[in-house]
Amino acid sequence: MSDVHDLFRRAADYAAQFHDTLDDRPVGPPASFDDLVQALGGPLADEEHGDADVISELIAAAEPGLVGSQTGRYFGFVFGSAMPAAVAADWVASAWDQNAFSVVTSPAAAAAEQVAAGWLAELLGLPDGGSCGFVTGAQGANTTALAAARQHVLARAGWDVGRDGLHGAPPIRVLAGVERHVTIDRSLRLLGLGTGALELVPANGQGRMRADALRDALAGGTGPVIVCAQAGNVNTGAVDPLNEIADACAAAGAWHHVDGAFGLWASASPRFRHLTVGCERADSWATDAHKWLNVPYDCGIVFCRHPQSHGDAMAVAASYLQRADGRSPSDWVPESSRRARGFAVWAALRSLGRNGVADLVDRCCDHARAFADLLGAEPGVEILNDVVLNQVLVRFDDDDETTREVVRRVQADGTCWLGGTDWQGRAAMRISVSSFRTTGTDVERSVGAILEAAAAVSGSLR
Ligand SMILES: Cc1ncc(COP(=O)(O)O)c(C=O)c1O
């Protein structure tokens, strides 16, 4: 057996064993960051080191610092796990080491992205004929989409932002809900529009942008305008009224962007797609595959109805960068050399099929509902949100300190992991069910651990 064969075999055996033992592994990392730096650290050696030893040392040093997002009882942030077929495809992508820049640099990577993009658009109910880029995450997708938007609305105002920049350009109004995701703000900073350009549209108690307020705000100004809607509030899961927002944008001639990092996946489920009705009318969309599709990090996807504006904002040309006929994957993303993310997405979709994706969405939402029902039935426990999707906000004894202490204790207990947040001025425990691995038993065990932690701190649960 060659050394390489042996090395890859060991890594694969380790990965398989890691997966087989997920249920017994801690969901929170046992080691501190400083311990890990020490374990991995020391001076860079002068001499070479054997590959097999390198991998063994890496595993031994890093494993105590792993977060259990591959387990079924990790409910922090909006983290998906990674499905076996997608993980294996991602390894193969690494072994192939393809550069997904263009059809010339890797016809296979470009073809996988194109096919996966078509399947994704169909699943998410997006229109044909648009452009699609594979980026690092919804942050990258929002930035790319808003760059296309900036290009488009300024071109309509007679300004070429690609050539002339923003100095002297007609000001762009950017309207977004008060409960937009923070990545929108970062995108605006990166794009030179600045967060000062934001006009915040009020939202209801669930964080849904109010379409009537948007209509009023649009009527109160003129000039190039971009509206950032959201499918899936990161706390409540609420989806903005996309159809009404589309009406308002059409009437005002505004670019309509949808940040659907996870919520856009509701469209893939016959049970939940009523939430995203109207999303197909937008001009651009951002979503993630590393969240609800459960592909390994990292993978976000940007879709755009206007390939010309998208390409004008992103594409590059140089004499040495030979092109095949037609568009190149690099026309839709801000990077040049790039990981071939399409293989893992292709594998996830091929493995799940249309029904499997719908089932994944449904199961996560049903588990979220079960969390809300089981916890909400206890005295002193309040569910703060309408559980429309996979997000649940829980508050204990209607008290900030109690709620934060329950979160701390649950994290320390290690049965499950979830985070805390503040929802409209009140502390809350935040549960996001985004893993294909979560089972009813995981939910029951986690509810037990949460109630035990709550009983230890809360007067009414004692
Ligand atoms: C609505 C929304 N937009 C954007 C993001 C950022 O996604 P990413 O971390 O993949 O860039 C998130 C992350 O949770 C999100 O919920």
Side-chain angles (χ1 to χ4, degrees):
M1 213 187 287
S2 73
D3 286 351
V4 170
H5 190 107
D6 186 45
L7 179 72
F8 286 5
R9 190 73 277 151
R10 278 169 186 243
D13 285 346
Y14 167 75
Q17 181 254 339
F18 177 80
H19 271 237
D20 286 347
T21 52
L22 277 176
D23 221 34
D24 308 321
R25 287 179 178 272
V27 288
S32 72
F33 173 74
D34 289 342
D35 293 344
L36 292 156
V37 170
Q38 201 170 359
L40 288 161
L44 176 63
D46 291 330
E47 307 304 329
E48 291 181 0
H49 202 55
D51 291 347
D53 288 344
V54 169
I55 297 306
S56 303
E57 286 171 19
L58 175 66
I59 290 170
E63 207 187 79
L66 297 182
V67 161
S69 51
Q70 273 288 37
T71 73
R73 291 191 306 283
Y74 189 87
F75 306 109
F77 311 101
V78 188
F79 279 12
S81 301
M83 291 193 313
V87 172
D90 201 52
W91 290 347
V92 174
S94 287
W96 284 335
D97 191 27
Q98 297 294 283
N99 185 338
F101 175 78
S102 74
V103 172
V104 172
T105 61
S106 178
E113 285 192 0
Q114 183 169 312
V115 171
W119 290 349
L120 287 166
E122 191 189 324
L123 276 177
L124 300 177
L126 306 183
D128 292 337
S131 41
C132 174
F134 286 69
V135 291
T136 50
Q139 170 75 75
N142 279 332
T143 307
T144 307
L146 293 177
R150 183 184 67 167
Q151 184 78 33
H152 189 90
V153 298
L154 284 180
R156 276 203 322 220
W159 187 268
D160 181 349
V161 69
R163 188 190 60 205
D164 299 326
L166 284 171
H167 290 292
I172 301 177
R173 302 177 67 202
V174 184
L175 280 72
V178 277
E179 292 292 348
R180 74 208 172 281
H181 194 264
V182 286
T183 49
I184 294 291
D185 296 42
R186 174 149 59 184
S187 297
L188 296 178
R189 291 189 342 241
L190 291 171
L191 291 168
L193 296 172
T195 51
L198 266 175
E199 295 176 40
L200 295 183
V201 182
N204 74 2
Q206 297 300 314
R208 295 181 89 210
M209 186 198 285
R210 277 183 31 214
D212 60 321
L214 174 68
R215 274 191 297 274
D216 290 348
L218 283 169
T222 53
V225 55
I226 298 170
V227 172
C228 300
Q230 178 168 256
N233 176 281
V234 77
N235 283 306
T236 64
V239 179
D240 285 348
L242 299 176
N243 216 14
E244 290 174 73
I245 291 173
D247 287 339
C249 289
W255 180 286
H256 176 190
H257 171 64
V258 177
D259 174 2
F262 65 98
L264 204 52
W265 290 87
S267 303
S269 155
R271 277 179 54 203
F272 291 95
R273 65 172 60 120
H274 62 275
L275 294 171
T276 54
V277 166
C279 74
E280 70 286 353
R281 298 173 61 196
D283 295 291
S284 58
W285 303 262
T287 195
D288 268 318
H290 58 219
K291 290 188 170 65
W292 228 342
L293 187 58
N294 281 236
V295 308
Y297 287 103
D298 49 21
C299 187
I301 304 145
V302 56
F303 298 91
C304 183
R305 181 188 293 281
H306 309 279
Q308 185 65 43
S309 300
H310 192 176
D312 286 349
M314 293 292 139
V316 290
S319 55
Y320 81 102
L321 294 172
Q322 299 163 35
R323 294 179 76 100
D325 288 343
R327 284 293 194 174
S328 163
S330 63
D331 292 348
W332 316 127
V333 297
E335 299 90 8
S336 290
S337 297
R338 198 164 49 87
R339 180 167 184 75
R341 300 187 180 94
F343 294 128
V345 175
W346 184 92
L349 295 174
R350 181 88 177 96
S351 142
L352 286 171
R354 193 193 309 275
N355 294 340
V357 177
D359 184 55
L360 171 60
V361 170
D362 291 355
R363 272 188 294 122
C364 290
C365 294
D366 288 344
H367 291 319
R369 184 71 262 158
F371 265 116
D373 290 346
L374 293 168
L375 291 170
E378 297 295 323
V381 183
E382 187 187 357
I383 305 302
L384 295 186
N385 64 320
D386 292 342
V387 180
V388 290
L389 220 53
N390 60 336
Q391 307 292 120
V392 189
L393 297 179
V394 194
R395 183 166 165 88
F396 298 87
D397 272 356
D398 196 16
D399 182 66
D400 288 351
E401 242 339 283
T402 305
T403 301
R404 292 189 188 116
E405 182 57 22
V406 176
V407 170
R408 272 193 290 274
R409 285 179 185 242
V410 172
Q411 290 178 350
D413 164 71
T415 303
C416 63
W417 202 96
L418 37 72
T421 189
D422 282 331
W423 178 244
Q424 301 192 336
R426 295 202 289 167
M429 169 184 282
R430 190 175 163 285
I431 299 171
S432 174
V433 189
S434 311
S435 167
F436 79 100
R437 274 207 181 81
T438 300
T439 63
T441 309
D442 288 321
V443 174
E444 281 160 25
R445 274 183 67 186
S446 303
V447 166
I450 293 167
L451 291 178
E452 210 168 291
V457 273
S458 143
S460 53
L461 276 157
R462 207 158 301 173

